[in-house]
Amino acid sequence: MGSVVANMSMSLDGFVAGPNDEVDHVFAWYNAGPVRVETENPDFTVNLTPESAEVFRPGAPGALITGRRLFDLTNAWGGKHPMGAHVFVVTHRVPDGWPREDAPFTFVTDGVASAVRQAKDLAGDRDVALATPTITQQCLELDLVDVIAVDLVPVLLGEGIPFFAGLGKAPITLGTPTIIEAEGVTHLRYAVRR
């Protein structure tokens, strides 16, 4: 069985987006190098440093869990997530016009634990990725996260959407990180200790 991995790009002061959801600074490393990496979505190609490409390339997660807010902000990624993963959307209400037969989305209305269970079943031996701070925080509180992967970007945003603020169950102890340095980003991967 794969791991449940919370992975986000984050500023040095802990924000995954600016106050108006702007992500250009924390995603700048996606276009910082000469290695062109195509994704499942032909409209989303990245140009990474060789070091970042090695982190990015190991393959799409078997499933991805997100919240309704990101689903709406991205306009459902045009009907298919760039990584090609099946997306489980945690929501109180299924949006109008969904689900669609041609789009790999499952709407989960009975909480994050159910979303993780369904995503793990679908992913099999592949990882399940958590794609938002709120979902990550809820999963941490329920001991459902195996790995935290942070793409740490050398920028201070000063304000915005924090990755880990407001954890009710703290402290959460992490293992020694693996560290991969690249131009414009340091890739950190921590096992969550239980």
Side-chain angles (χ1 to χ4, degrees):
M1 178 128 323
S3 297
V4 176
V5 180
N7 180 210
M8 297 203 72
S9 292
M10 183 179 80
S11 68
L12 187 59
D13 53 350
F15 298 105
V16 297
N20 297 308
D21 296 308
E22 56 275 40
V23 293
D24 48 333
H25 285 85
V26 294
F27 285 169
W29 67 274
Y30 279 9
N31 287 299
V35 181
R36 183 177 172 87
V37 179
E38 295 183 6
T39 68
E40 295 288 325
N41 182 339
D43 296 329
F44 184 73
T45 300
V46 294
N47 297 291
L48 305 171
T49 64
E51 299 84 4
S52 289
E54 289 302 313
V55 171
F56 194 82
R57 275 198 185 126
L64 183 136
I65 301 172
T66 188
R68 172 69 185 273
R69 183 171 179 275
L70 184 60
F71 175 84
D72 289 344
L73 279 172
T74 62
N75 195 25
W77 296 278
K80 184 177 184 182
H81 191 273
M83 298 307 293
H86 188 93
V87 179
F88 290 83
V89 181
V90 180
T91 183
H92 295 289
R93 186 180 56 81
V94 176
D96 292 339
W98 292 91
R100 299 177 187 166
E101 285 186 32
D102 61 337
F105 295 94
T106 297
F107 296 89
V108 181
T109 58
D110 57 345
V112 294
S114 176
V116 170
R117 194 170 38 259
Q118 292 178 57
K120 286 175 86 169
D121 287 347
L122 181 91
D125 291 337
R126 294 168 61 191
D127 289 344
V128 171
L130 304 177
T132 70
T134 303
I135 298 297
T136 296
Q137 291 164 16
Q138 291 176 45
C139 288
L140 283 167
E141 307 252 340
L142 296 170
D143 289 326
L144 298 174
V145 180
D146 301 309
V147 174
I148 294 176
V150 175
D151 302 310
L152 189 62
V153 180
V155 63
L156 300 171
L157 294 180
E159 62 179 332
I161 299 170
F163 196 0
F164 300 111
L167 285 174
K169 181 181 180 179
I172 294 171
T173 307
L174 308 176
T176 302
T178 59
I179 303 168
I180 298 174
E181 296 178 17
E183 181 66 32
V185 64
T186 301
H187 304 284
L188 305 166
R189 187 175 175 96
Y190 300 86
V192 176
R193 291 187 177 160
R194 293 194 169 88

